[in-house]
Amino acid sequence: DNIIKGAVLTFVDVTTARKLHEALRANEERLRVALSATSICLYNQDTDLRYTWIQNPKFGFTAEKIIGKTDADLLGKKDAAALTTIKQKVLESGKGARQNIRVTISGKTLVYDLLAEPLYDNARAVVGITCVLLDVNGQQGGKRIYFGTDGTLPSENKEDIP
């Protein structure tokens, strides 16, 4: 009675999926290598402002320590509140924002140029934010570099830093 009388075989061609997966992996590796040579951090946060993805983390953190956390989990209360305000406005308005920010890490105040843009799903609903954080604490000709809040070229104007 336990005799097999037939079989049904199904073949699924996964060649395209494998090629797409490999192309995505290669692109992410290129991005990782390119960002590692810069002072730029790129990341996504969901609508609760929890980090969901990050490349080239700052402040001495690793990606593993950041993912799933909020700015309030990682930074001082004042710094986290300032960042959250900017990012919450982007989530609520659906419009990007660019602003210089100050962050104090281990007693040292650092200045960053933050660009935050809404992240949309296929239905064009805001599902989070994508941010670029540029370290502007480097020296150029012995002078600090500060970017205008409107994204203009660097200036020596320290008044546009909150």
Side-chain angles (χ1 to χ4, degrees), residues 3-57:
I3 299 172
I4 298 174
K5 295 183 181 181
V8 175
L9 299 176
T10 302
F11 295 95
V12 177
D13 185 358
V14 295
T15 304
T16 301
R18 281 189 181 171
K19 286 181 181 178
L20 288 172
H21 179 72
E22 178 55 28
L24 181 61
R25 188 208 56 76
N27 282 340
E28 190 156 323
E29 179 64 13
R30 289 180 192 112
L31 178 64
R32 185 192 64 74
V33 169
L35 287 176
S36 72
T38 72
S39 61
I40 296 172
C41 173
L42 181 62
Y43 59 90
N44 289 127
Q45 288 175 287
D46 62 19
T47 54
D48 293 325
L49 295 176
R50 293 193 176 281
Y51 288 86
T52 59
W53 176 84
I54 189 164
Q55 285 289 337
N56 207 24

Side-chain angles (χ1 to χ4, degrees), residues 62-117:
T62 63
E64 295 77 21
K65 181 168 180 159
I66 293 173
I67 299 300
K69 302 234 171 63
T70 65
D71 291 325
D73 297 327
L74 301 167
L75 303 172
K77 191 174 186 177
K78 182 179 176 183
D79 294 337
L83 283 168
T84 298
T85 299
I86 297 164
K87 294 171 182 180
Q88 195 64 46
K89 284 181 184 175
V90 172
L91 287 172
E92 292 168 3
S93 70
K95 295 180 181 176
R98 186 170 188 176
Q99 187 171 332
N100 284 333
I101 59 162
R102 291 178 191 251
V103 178
T104 302
I105 303 293
S106 300
K108 183 177 179 185
T109 300
L110 304 168
V111 180
Y112 291 87
D113 182 13
L114 172 69
L115 172 64
E117 291 287 339

